[in-house]
Amino acid sequence: MDRFQDFFHQVAGHDGTLIDTSGLIFAKLAYQSEIDFYTRLQYSSPESKICNLDSLNSHDGDYDKYDEYGSRLKDWVPVFMGTLTPYAYSAPNNEGKDKDEITQLIEKTSNAVRCGGGSDAKQPTYIILNNLLYGYNYPSVIDIKLGSVLTDPLDPKISQKKHERLALVSKNTTSGSNSFRICGLRLFNDDDKIDLDMLNSTYSNRDGNRDDSFVKEEHIIKQSYNNKSYLKLNKGFGKSLKADNIKQALSLFFLSNSLSPIRKKKILENTLNRLKLFYNCLLDEEIRIFSCSLLIAYENDREKWDALNDHEVLLRDYPFGSSSEYDDDEDDGDDEDDEEEEAEEEKEKVEYRRKYVENDDFNGGTSVDNPPLSSLNLIDLAHARSVPNQGRDENIVEGVYNLMEILKAIYNSL
Ligand code: ADP
Ligand code: MN
């Protein structure tokens, strides 16, 4: 591991995330609970649903679907590589002289991190994950927090005050109305086409009676990184949105770019297909996760789209693996039988399960082999637990479902 630096492409959450100079590795200060959850996810066997080995027995030997990449929670979260704690990398005799780099970084950034009460507060620890934005040249990125219930009612570490505060946040935002909320986003803006007026005139909901300049000056921060311009919309923007303009805000994220209409559509199509797969995955997972987020990104570098002929895999096994069992092509062949079978199999609200697709074009699913044009992942597992035999997490399933419905409407209007 080489040196760490501030991570520019962070869009939400506590300040102070880092990446290493290769760009492959992402680090953030984390609670022990998040580290524990990742550890259990990582070590759960390939056939099992997350850390719940007992549930194997309840699936009547039908394990086939678990072999599909994307059917397990761990296919969607970053790869967990370990942790770093202060002093762990100090030379033994160096104490008091040169603090090691990790210690310095933690001292520099830990003020920004509210480590809460309890034992978690004593020793800030970095969790080391793969950088989900590795391989992007000029990404636009959005963080969407899932669920209307934002705190775990069974977590004894959370005070009544915090439960109440976040319940109120939910009530007053799209967390409550839509079971998801935009926490922050950053748009690539190198040709400076995007500004406050442009956003409001293009995306405001003119149907409503009120003066709907829904992006306000205080929501926007102009930024520059590697001589390129970006525009960040902060969490105040996400919190100001309501059920009647959340669609405009999502349109703003997916459409405010200089990509061709066909490419814009492709990004939405691939995002929708990923959401379907993720939704199916959640139907089978017996977990409860509070305040997790979807991290969605797309590439703005047109040359990269050209080089890849607009083609990419739906799911990458970041960053070192080699799985690419889905691509972004339409299914062909005998899905009718399968569809009938599936309708019988599960009488869910919606069944989005896609057929397994063999992809000859891409036989390695890494981001090195298959640079991303867009991606969708689940992050922020600080408040996650497994609940054997208690069924799916309706709280986040609902959010994913509602998000899909809105993105579908945007897609169909293009
Ligand atoms: P917090 O507890 O501070 O909310 P998150 O896990 O949500 O922590 O991370 C904060 C931000 O860091 C996210 O909004 C996202 O922009 C970025 N981020 C988190 N994990 C990764 C990752 N593995 N790769 C790239 N960016 C990430
Ligand atoms: Mn977060």
Side-chain angles (χ1 to χ4, degrees):
M1 195 153 328
D2 203 355
R3 304 193 164 273
F4 281 94
Q5 62 202 44
D6 293 340
F7 181 44
F8 174 75
H9 291 296
Q10 171 175 4
V11 289
H14 304 100
D15 290 344
T17 62
L18 306 168
I19 51 164
D20 78 325
T21 41
S22 77
L24 275 164
I25 291 169
F26 169 91
K28 68 158 192 173
L29 284 169
Y31 291 100
Q32 190 58 40
S33 56
E34 185 163 22
I35 293 161
D36 290 345
F37 190 76
Y38 269 105
T39 307
R40 295 167 75 194
L41 255 191
Q42 203 93 331
Y43 290 104
S44 61
S45 77
E47 298 80 18
S48 76
K49 304 313 290 176
I50 165 200
C51 36
N52 176 16
L53 297 169
D54 294 342
S55 72
L56 270 178
N57 303 325
S58 60
H59 284 288
D60 303 317
D62 172 24
Y63 305 137
D64 289 4
K65 56 187 172 186
Y66 302 136
D67 293 330
E68 294 175 12
Y69 195 65
S71 69
R72 298 157 305 182
L73 195 68
K74 69 178 178 187
D75 301 336
W76 295 94
V77 304
V79 177
F80 170 58
M81 299 173 178
T83 61
L84 284 173
T85 47
Y87 309 113
Y89 281 70
S90 299
N93 297 329
N94 247 4
E95 272 162 33
K97 287 184 191 163
D98 300 319
K99 287 181 185 163
D100 68 88
E101 193 176 8
I102 295 299
T103 304
Q104 286 179 34
L105 279 167
I106 286 180
E107 286 180 357
K108 206 175 90 186
T109 56
S110 58
N111 298 339
V113 175
R114 288 158 296 168
C115 268
S119 56
D120 276 349
K122 285 181 193 144
Q123 180 96 324
T125 301
Y126 274 96
I127 186 167
I128 308 296
L129 305 168
N130 75 296
N131 173 13
L132 295 168
L133 301 180
Y134 179 78
Y136 282 99
N137 292 344
Y138 314 126
S140 289
V141 188
I142 191 168
D143 178 311
I144 300 175
K145 195 186 278 292
L146 295 175
S148 58
V149 181
L150 302 173
T151 50
D152 185 347
L154 299 184
D155 185 343
K157 292 200 293 296
I158 296 178
S159 66
Q160 192 54 33
K161 241 176 128 180
K162 184 167 181 186
H163 283 302
E164 283 166 15
R165 183 167 53 81
L166 290 179
L168 196 64
V169 169
S170 176
K171 189 167 163 257
N172 293 328
T173 63
T174 61
S175 290
S177 55
N178 300 68
S179 286
F180 71 84
R181 163 165 52 101
I182 295 174
C183 284
L185 66 95
R186 180 180 284 105
L187 299 165
F188 181 65
N189 191 27
D190 207 38
D191 33 23
D192 273 323
K193 284 192 185 136
I194 312 170
D195 61 21
L196 196 64
D197 289 344
M198 176 272 184
L199 290 178
N200 280 316
S201 60
T202 312
Y203 300 104
S204 277
N205 183 4
R206 296 283 173 203
D207 303 340
N209 292 329
R210 60 204 164 93
D211 165 33
D212 209 347
S213 53
F214 80 132
V215 189
K216 306 217 173 352
E217 192 124 28
E218 69 258 28
H219 296 148
I220 287 199
I221 310 158
K222 287 185 174 181
Q223 297 175 317
S224 130
Y225 178 67
N226 287 343
N227 298 318
K228 301 284 179 188
S229 300
Y230 291 84
L231 210 118
K232 167 135 188 245
L233 292 187
N234 63 17
K235 69 174 174 210
F237 173 65
K239 281 192 174 172
S240 74
L241 298 167
K242 302 285 177 224
D244 66 356
N245 58 8
I246 183 67
K247 183 176 163 208
Q248 279 75 13
L250 289 167
S251 302
L252 177 160
F253 172 71
F254 283 99
L255 306 179
S256 301
N257 55 59
S258 305
L259 297 168
S260 70
I262 288 176
R263 287 173 178 175
K264 287 186 187 9
K265 225 174 158 163
K266 192 80 182 167
I267 292 166
L268 274 161
E269 183 190 318
N270 287 351
T271 302
L272 273 166
N273 283 330
R274 290 182 184 112
L275 278 171
K276 289 176 191 175
L277 292 170
F278 181 57
Y279 181 89
N280 286 336
C281 163
L282 288 178
L283 294 183
D284 292 334
E285 290 285 358
E286 301 191 303
I287 40 146
R288 296 292 176 270
I289 313 183
F290 299 87
S291 282
C292 59
S293 288
L294 290 172
L295 191 72
I296 302 175
Y298 63 82
E299 177 63 80
N300 287 275
D301 185 346
R302 277 163 285 182
E303 286 178 16
K304 230 180 94 194
W305 282 81
D306 293 342
L308 291 169
N309 227 346
D310 292 8
H311 199 77
E312 65 168 336
V313 293
L314 272 191
L315 269 179
R316 284 169 204 84
D317 194 356
Y318 286 101
F320 312 114
S322 58
S323 209
S324 65
E325 293 157 5
Y326 297 97
D327 72 1
D328 61 359
D329 287 334
E330 287 300 305
D331 276 0
D332 47 356
D334 57 340
D335 359 10
E336 256 171 59
D337 287 353
D338 291 32
E339 270 168 25
E340 271 172 33
E341 239 172 64
E342 280 168 11
E344 263 179 32
E345 200 176 278
E346 288 194 64
K347 296 180 178 58
E348 311 293 358
K349 172 160 71 174
V350 175
E351 174 51 54
Y352 280 120
R353 191 178 301 285
R354 270 170 63 94
K355 258 168 52 84
Y356 175 94
V357 181
E358 198 77 59
N359 187 347
D360 295 331
D361 295 342
F362 294 97
N363 53 10
T366 67
S367 47
V368 179
D369 295 339
N370 296 300
L373 298 175
S374 62
S375 56
L376 178 146
N377 294 90
L378 185 72
I379 58 165
D380 204 349
L381 305 178
H383 309 285
R385 55 188 160 87
S386 117
V387 288
N389 305 318
Q390 291 178 45
R392 74 183 68 128
D393 189 341
E394 293 290 354
N395 188 39
I396 60 173
V397 163
E398 183 72 18
V400 172
Y401 180 81
N402 292 338
L403 179 61
M404 265 193 295
E405 291 298 300
I406 294 176
L407 294 187
K408 252 193 252 172
I410 296 172
Y411 177 82
N412 288 329
S413 70
L414 293 181

